[in-house]
Amino acid sequence: MSLTEEIAKRRTFGIISHPDAGKTTLTEKLLLFGGAIQKAGAVKSNKIDMHARSDWMEIEKQRGISVATSVMAFEYEGSKINLLDTPGHQDFAEDTYRTLTAVDSVVMVVDCVKGVEIQTEKLMEVCRMRNTPVISFINKLDREGQDPYDLLDEIESKLDIKVHPLSWPIGMGKTFQGVYSLYDQSLRLFTASQQQLHEEATKIEDINSPELDQLIGENEAAQLREDVEFLDGVYGPLNPDDYLRGEIAPVFFGSAINNFGVKELLDTFLRISPEPRGRVLDEREVAPSENKFSGFVFKIHANMDPKHRNRLAFLRVCSGKFERGSNYFHTRQDKKFRISQATAFMAQDKETIDEAYPGDIIGLYDTGNFKIGDTLTEGEKGIYRGIPSFSPEIFREVINKDAMKTKQLEKGLSQLMDEGVAQLFNYELGSRKAVGTVGQLQFEVIQYRLKNEYGASADFVPMQLYKACWISADDPKKLDEFIASKQRHIAKDKDGKLVFMAESKAWLQMVQENFPEINYHFTSEF
Ligand code: G4P
């Protein structure tokens, strides 16, 4: 198969949702329909048990189990699907953001009872930053949920994206009878069954035919005709380019637990979703079809085996063909590495692979050479852009408790930051260090791992900080003046970029007004 054919058959996407909307269930059902697993319950997901949320050891255990399901690849109807799992737990939101940089499109699950929830709003913002095409799956139609029109309105207003329903529910909850496909004018009737794996579609040649009344009842048929006429009038046919540009989200309705609507979603997804797309290396857009291999690391999983400090770096292939055993250029370290071990992820199994193509995710065994954002090429210099750090929410100062172990503490902190567990900010004045995270949990993780893996001990003292703002200015003199006047509040991030550590919202506003020539950024890429 040629490189172009290999690319054309691949689809790399992630499923996002607020916890409990049904991401795990949908993932599992997609794998069942794809034939990658044989029975439900076989996949342990990245889902973190809410009961365990204060017990991070338990969470680490669950994360360990979930490595194999971080990426699930399977073949379906001639396509190779790479499905990337994203942790639902909000304390691991950064992990999810980074995973989204490695996908070409997203399926967003919304609970029809709860509607759009906060975590989905945040994730959608990340999708919008990169114009990632989004399909929405409204789940749990077997329950009494909100009116479907209200749900569409809510997606449009809360997620700031236009919607385009491709299926429409007939009833809901107790009266749920199935969905009518506006995309291919067919009817899928609902039976509540967690076992049954077929989803039959009956083509409806004429929506006004009495056949429809027989199938779903007179009143329901009348209502459906009215809905379809209205929806056709408002939305018309879907322009796939609007979806591919990330401007319009096609919407499906279903019930994942009952295997309903899942096949319709999968089949339509394969027809409209994007092939692996290009990525920007420094300033240059690299096309997947370029002959030379390149890729970037978007996730690092440590503690694969507690006895050895080995890690697995997840790399997305961006262009060309990856071949195991080749020497590839590590652009940050400016040297070549021979990649002798690489794994692919097939549903629950990991297997050694010899080659991979754009869109594929491969796992590279790592003894500390990689950090998030690292780029491998066949010689070209530069870094794949698009993996920004976001301003953390919680900050603590690191206080070394054991002066004899200063080196270990520094090494430990630096490696944990490479993995993206948290962000470290080094203050310009004195040697103060602030660690920033999105959730409390990370501090427990860091403290435990520093002690157990590096023999270092540190306290993390709460700091009164609101945001870390990356700063820049067109006029270097203005930047120098700003730094001089705010010296105590200036730090550097892991790449040496300047950051203004703002203590409160009000103070930040005041500083912004007093120094309007400074640009304040809430992500590290601008
Ligand atoms: P998440 O990964 O997004 O956090 O959600 P998950 O799939 O774990 O689903 C959350 C809960 O919603 C689960 O119930 C799951 O069974 C249920 N669920 C998923 N899809 C549907 C659906 O189509 N209809 C209905 N009624 N429920 C659905 P749970 O009680 O939390 O867990 P479990 O004991 O069933 O596993």
Side-chain angles (χ1 to χ4, degrees):
M1 221 185 251
S2 71
L3 179 59
T4 335
E5 285 166 333
E6 291 284 0
I7 295 168
K9 71 178 263 201
R10 279 164 168 77
R11 295 289 183 275
T12 303
F13 76 108
I15 304 186
I16 57 171
S17 78
H18 190 89
D20 274 345
K23 180 171 68 69
T24 310
T25 313
L26 180 63
T27 302
E28 186 166 87
K29 298 307 163 98
L30 288 170
L31 294 181
L32 274 170
F33 275 103
I37 55 169
Q38 266 59 53
K39 62 177 195 320
V43 172
K44 295 278 178 294
S45 78
N46 259 349
K47 182 170 172 161
I48 287 163
D49 185 352
M50 290 317 259
H51 305 297
R53 57 167 304 142
S54 56
D55 178 358
W56 89 265
M57 279 297 287
E58 184 53 32
I59 287 167
E60 268 301 295
K61 233 193 280 163
Q62 294 185 26
R63 267 160 63 84
I65 296 168
S66 71
V67 181
T69 54
S70 298
V71 183
M72 290 156 279
F74 60 97
E75 302 265 343
Y76 180 75
E77 313 239 309
S79 293
K80 169 149 190 235
I81 298 176
N82 296 311
L83 169 51
L84 274 62
D85 198 6
T86 52
H89 196 296
Q90 63 174 22
D91 284 10
F92 293 102
E94 283 264 322
D95 227 17
T96 300
Y97 298 153
R98 286 190 294 255
T99 299
L100 291 181
T101 64
V103 303
D104 300 300
S105 70
V106 151
V107 169
M108 174 179 80
V109 186
V110 173
D111 181 334
C112 75
V113 182
K114 295 189 179 145
V116 174
E117 296 167 271
I118 183 78
Q119 196 66 9
T120 319
E121 287 180 45
K122 286 193 186 159
L123 292 166
M124 188 60 210
E125 268 172 40
V126 180
C127 294
R128 237 192 331 267
M129 276 167 66
R130 306 178 54 243
N131 300 322
T132 308
V134 175
I135 288 181
S136 180
F137 181 77
I138 300 186
N139 190 27
K140 307 196 186 178
L141 266 283
D142 58 316
R143 297 182 54 191
E144 304 295 335
Q146 299 176 32
D147 178 83
Y149 290 106
D150 290 345
L151 285 164
L152 294 186
D153 280 350
E154 195 174 288
I155 294 178
E156 290 208 336
S157 61
K158 283 199 178 165
L159 301 181
D160 197 16
I161 184 164
K162 290 211 162 0
V163 294
H164 190 121
L166 289 185
S167 77
W168 196 250
I170 303 158
M172 200 181 262
K174 284 200 185 74
T175 63
F176 183 52
Q177 293 211 50
V179 293
Y180 175 77
S181 167
L182 298 155
Y183 185 67
D184 63 10
Q185 291 75 42
S186 60
L187 186 70
R188 287 173 168 80
L189 290 177
F190 173 71
T191 35
S193 162
Q194 300 191 16
Q195 309 306 328
Q196 191 175 317
L197 247 203
H198 58 87
E199 195 178 289
E200 250 173 62
T202 312
K203 184 87 187 155
I204 303 290
E205 299 295 347
D206 176 6
I207 194 155
N208 291 314
S209 90
E211 188 198 351
L212 190 67
D213 301 71
Q214 282 158 18
L215 284 167
I216 59 173
E218 250 173 62
N219 291 343
E220 291 75 7
Q223 179 65 49
L224 180 65
R225 288 184 187 112
E226 202 180 291
D227 286 335
V228 170
E229 190 184 351
F230 176 76
L231 294 165
D232 276 347
V234 174
Y235 298 103
L238 174 76
N239 177 354
D241 288 337
D242 292 339
Y243 154 67
L244 292 174
R245 279 195 300 269
E247 289 167 5
I248 282 188
V251 178
F252 292 87
F253 292 84
S255 169
I257 195 93
N258 291 300
N259 309 322
F260 188 77
V262 177
K263 186 166 187 306
E264 182 188 20
L265 172 73
L266 186 56
D267 288 343
T268 320
F269 171 81
L270 283 183
R271 274 197 258 169
I272 64 174
S273 64
E275 292 177 9
R277 301 175 137 189
R279 295 281 191 284
V280 178
L281 183 82
D282 278 356
E283 303 298 320
R284 188 175 90 78
E285 166 106 21
V286 178
S289 56
E290 289 184 18
N291 278 327
K292 290 200 167 139
F293 159 79
S294 68
F296 66 89
V297 173
F298 63 94
K299 178 185 173 94
I300 289 179
H301 196 103
N303 285 339
M304 300 291 297
D305 174 353
K307 282 188 237 96
H308 307 278
R309 199 176 291 164
N310 59 358
R311 320 196 280 189
L312 193 64
F314 289 72
L315 177 133
R316 159 155 176 142
V317 180
C318 294
S319 67
K321 176 178 172 183
F322 167 87
E323 285 176 287
R324 189 166 66 89
S326 300
N327 288 308
Y328 289 124
F329 183 59
H330 187 313
T331 63
R332 180 176 56 85
Q333 296 207 4
D334 200 26
K335 63 179 182 201
K336 283 200 161 181
F337 277 85
R338 190 179 132 83
I339 309 288
S340 51
Q341 280 222 45
T343 47
F345 308 86
M346 297 300 286
Q348 297 148 287
D349 304 319
K350 284 207 293 290
E351 57 181 40
T352 300
I353 44 133
D354 295 323
E355 52 187 53
Y357 295 91
D360 285 343
I361 309 297
I362 53 179
L364 307 176
Y365 282 95
D366 175 35
T367 47
N369 289 316
F370 290 114
K371 62 177 173 181
I372 285 168
D374 277 350
T375 298
L376 288 184
T377 68
E378 284 193 30
E380 184 168 352
K381 296 194 170 182
I383 290 279
Y384 270 108
R385 290 180 61 84
I387 313 191
S389 302
F390 294 83
S391 174
E393 312 270 325
I394 305 169
F395 297 86
R396 294 206 182 155
E397 185 174 349
V398 188
I399 308 285
N400 187 1
K401 285 210 299 192
D402 184 350
M404 304 292 288
K405 298 280 172 64
T406 306
K407 272 220 169 93
Q408 284 87 332
L409 177 65
E410 282 187 357
K411 183 169 181 209
L413 275 176
S414 145
Q415 293 207 346
L416 293 178
M417 300 306 129
D418 289 353
E419 287 173 30
V421 177
Q423 293 180 60
L424 185 67
F425 300 95
N426 289 298
Y427 275 86
E428 290 281 88
L429 269 191
S431 55
R432 288 175 78 201
K433 290 181 196 308
V435 167
T437 66
V438 281
Q440 293 289 351
L441 215 53
Q442 269 90 348
F443 288 107
E444 289 170 48
V445 175
I446 296 168
Q447 210 154 13
Y448 179 89
R449 289 190 52 192
L450 281 175
K451 182 130 205 84
N452 283 275
E453 292 170 36
Y454 300 90
S457 56
D459 272 341
F460 290 89
V461 181
M463 294 173 91
Q464 185 58 44
L465 280 177
Y466 164 65
K467 283 255 150 74
C469 309
W470 283 266
I471 46 173
S472 65
D474 297 333
D475 181 352
K477 256 177 46 200
K478 294 282 179 201
L479 193 60
D480 288 344
E481 277 169 30
F482 180 78
I483 292 168
S485 109
K486 296 278 168 280
Q487 228 170 12
R488 275 193 326 111
H489 308 279
I490 302 292
K492 282 192 172 155
D493 76 357
K494 63 174 181 355
D495 301 318
K497 282 189 180 162
L498 283 167
V499 182
F500 170 56
M501 309 294 274
E503 286 176 0
S504 72
K505 195 172 178 179
W507 188 55
L508 173 61
Q509 266 167 3
M510 207 172 73
V511 173
Q512 282 175 315
E513 278 161 27
N514 293 344
F515 295 88
E517 55 288 313
I518 301 296
N519 306 315
Y520 305 81
H521 313 270
F522 297 102
T523 71
S524 64
E525 241 177 43
F526 41 85

